[in-house]
């Protein structure tokens, strides 16, 4: 989760450089519940890792470099 689109785009690009990914990360806008204002949104960088092979600490570090955080399903 990142605070704005620019940070999300930069983080997605950096993820492609740091990690071996099958697909490019997807950037998704997620409006906050009950908010219509475009300012009230978070940006997600979705990285598909079905086998859980990516280093979670490294992903968290990358997100924090762009003032974001991770949410792992």
């Amino acid at each position: 989760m990142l605070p704005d689109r620019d940070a999300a785009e930069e983080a997605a690009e950096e993820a492609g450089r740091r990690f071996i990914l099958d697909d490019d990360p997807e950037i998704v806008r997620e409006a906050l519940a009950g908010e219509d204002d475009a300012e009230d949104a978070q940006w997600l960088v979705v990285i598909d890792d079905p086998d859980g092979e990516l280093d979670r600490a490294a992903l968290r570090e990358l997100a924090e470099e762009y003032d974001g955080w991770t949410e792992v399903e």
Side-chain angles (χ1 to χ4, degrees):
M1 299 288 254
L2 296 151
D4 58 57
R5 184 177 183 93
D6 290 340
E9 289 174 347
E10 290 174 20
E13 188 174 309
E14 185 62 26
R17 284 192 288 267
R18 291 189 193 184
F19 305 105
I20 298 172
L21 304 173
D22 291 336
D23 298 308
D24 290 335
E26 180 182 2
I27 298 173
V28 178
R29 179 183 178 269
E30 182 176 89
L32 299 176
E35 299 293 333
D36 294 325
D37 189 351
E39 299 271 330
D40 295 322
Q42 296 171 332
W43 291 86
L44 289 75
V45 175
V46 180
I47 298 174
D48 190 30
D49 183 28
D51 298 324
E53 295 177 351
L54 295 176
D55 181 343
R56 301 289 183 225
L59 288 169
R60 186 173 39 257
E61 182 179 304
L62 174 62
E64 289 172 356
E65 288 175 23
Y66 292 93
D67 296 323
W69 65 93
T70 59
E71 292 186 357
V72 179
E73 290 186 19

